Amino acid sequence: MNNTNINELKERFIQQGFIVLPQALSHTDTATLEQVSQALNKRSQELLKAVKDDNQNLSDFYRENLSELIAVPEFDNDQKVCRYEYIKGYSQPVRDIIIPKLQQMIHKLTGTDFVLFKDKCNAKNPGGGAFEPHQDIIAYDQFAPAYHVTAAIFLDDATMENGCLFFPENYQHELASLRTRRVTTPVGDLPVLPSYEGGKAHGNIRQEICDQINWVPITAKAGDVVLFDSYVPHCSKKNDSLLTRRAMFFTFNPLIDGDFYEAYYTMKHQEFDNPKFHIATPTAHRKSVL
Ligand SMILES: O=C(O)CCC(=O)C(=O)O
């Protein structure tokens, strides 16, 4: 993000709710994240196996292990890692190097100090990993902050074939006539879109709203960063390739609203089955409780 185009980026971020920053991290940083990803994916696999071998379920395991990495299995395979979370709690390089850099990036864009709210890595395994259209804010509203910025960092190229993200061209414009609840945020009043409640589609934006949105695929190279706020609708299709499409998501909230990272993960460890924590995600959990 250089100083010459910062005003244009700011304007686009406020208007669209997202921006793409090609190759925003250095090669050293992406190499660090690659190492972290390999170590944490291995740890997640070991955890899923150990819990199964002990005839335990993940809810009980996490209730008893509040500082453990959170491994969430795939919808159709309880031994395959769909995502893992609590990266900052687990990885010193992420804590000391990556998060401060992302904070700087977001500060440059918004002029505001942000603190980490949550983090995760989606594995997006071959044959799976579709995320239905949703707004992230729906999954965060049990905590005080009403606005968040997520940095999605791609560890693999994201393509049409392997399930890149889709964002609206300009949802505020496309849905200008929609009457819905609006929330005051640092970038203006943003809409909470009507979504399904309960059942398999819990948290997904209603179909008639999705149909009014002009969805644009955002393909990305490994090392690209996409910054998006917690109101912009987004989704991704399943991975139709033979390789994973890994991406880490670091979600921040304005520092002025407080630091909720540990409170968020204490709640997530204690309430692993709470549907709030599995909105629009392709995880084993959705099959079992919804
Ligand atoms: O990883 C993806 O393809 C989509 C992620 C997403 O939409 C989310 O986690 O909210």
Side-chain angles (χ1 to χ4, degrees):
M1 213 191 297
N2 62 41
N3 289 330
T4 50
N5 66 2
I6 188 76
N7 288 336
E8 193 192 318
L9 287 174
K10 273 184 188 171
E11 205 173 298
R12 211 176 323 139
F13 183 68
I14 290 173
Q15 200 177 68
Q16 294 185 315
F18 75 96
I19 50 165
V20 183
L21 302 173
Q23 302 300 289
L25 290 177
S26 68
H27 287 301
T28 316
D29 292 339
T30 42
T32 300
L33 286 178
E34 181 60 45
Q35 274 178 0
V36 169
S37 155
Q38 286 180 21
L40 297 193
N41 192 56
K42 184 164 171 280
R43 176 76 192 146
S44 303
Q45 267 166 1
E46 288 165 358
L47 282 171
L48 294 183
K49 182 169 183 318
V51 169
K52 188 168 190 170
D53 289 350
D54 285 354
N55 280 326
Q56 257 192 316
N57 64 53
L58 285 167
S59 317
D60 293 342
F61 175 78
Y62 282 117
R63 212 173 294 119
E64 289 157 19
N65 293 276
L66 294 179
S67 55
E68 195 40 274
L69 186 69
I70 295 187
V72 185
E74 281 284 348
F75 181 70
D76 55 358
N77 186 340
D78 66 4
Q79 291 302 288
K80 206 170 186 180
V81 180
C82 174
R83 70 169 190 269
Y84 54 81
E85 302 201 20
Y86 200 47
I87 302 176
K88 176 187 155 196
Y90 233 76
S91 164
Q92 191 171 356
V94 165
R95 200 160 47 237
D96 294 348
I97 303 168
I98 306 296
I99 289 169
K101 284 196 178 162
L102 297 173
Q103 282 172 310
Q104 267 175 22
M105 231 179 250
I106 296 172
H107 185 271
K108 218 165 172 182
L109 186 69
T110 60
T112 305
D113 287 331
F114 277 74
V115 65
L116 194 69
F117 179 72
K118 68 182 286 270
D119 52 38
K120 67 174 174 183
C121 180
N122 286 343
K124 193 104 173 178
N125 291 302
F131 283 72
E132 300 298 331
H134 63 282
Q135 290 178 296
D136 285 346
I137 191 66
I138 301 284
Y140 305 158
D141 61 7
Q142 66 275 44
F143 293 95
Y147 181 74
H148 314 74
V149 176
T150 294
I153 304 176
F154 291 89
L155 304 185
D156 300 304
D157 292 356
T159 65
M160 288 293 279
E161 193 193 8
N162 71 11
C164 65
L165 294 177
F166 282 71
F167 286 99
E169 192 173 329
N170 186 336
Y171 76 106
Q172 297 240 52
H173 178 69
E174 289 151 6
L175 302 176
S177 59
L178 183 73
R179 293 166 74 97
T180 190
R181 182 165 74 87
R182 288 186 163 262
V183 178
T184 302
T185 78
V187 293
D189 287 354
L190 295 177
V192 178
L193 303 176
S195 61
Y196 296 104
E197 289 197 20
K200 278 203 176 110
H202 179 68
N204 296 353
I205 298 169
R206 294 187 70 88
Q207 191 57 47
E208 63 274 21
I209 308 290
C210 294
D211 292 345
Q212 296 172 51
I213 292 176
N214 183 20
W215 295 97
V216 180
I218 304 296
T219 56
K221 292 274 172 221
D224 288 355
V225 175
V226 177
L227 296 180
F228 61 98
D229 71 30
S230 44
Y231 291 79
V232 63
H234 57 285
C235 59
S236 67
K237 298 185 180 163
K238 77 177 167 53
N239 181 351
D240 279 327
S241 80
L242 298 175
L243 301 171
T244 55
R245 192 242 60 199
R246 299 160 305 156
M248 286 186 175
F249 295 79
F250 294 92
T251 299
F252 298 82
N253 66 265
L255 180 61
I256 197 169
D257 292 335
D259 182 345
F260 290 89
Y261 186 82
E262 288 304 333
Y264 179 89
Y265 279 107
T266 299
M267 186 173 177
K268 202 162 214 170
H269 280 89
Q270 284 172 338
E271 299 179 31
F272 184 78
D273 281 339
N274 188 335
K276 269 273 184 227
F277 293 130
H278 302 265
I279 282 176
T281 66
T283 55
H285 159 275
R286 283 189 96 208
K287 191 173 56 174
S288 60
V289 302
L290 295 178

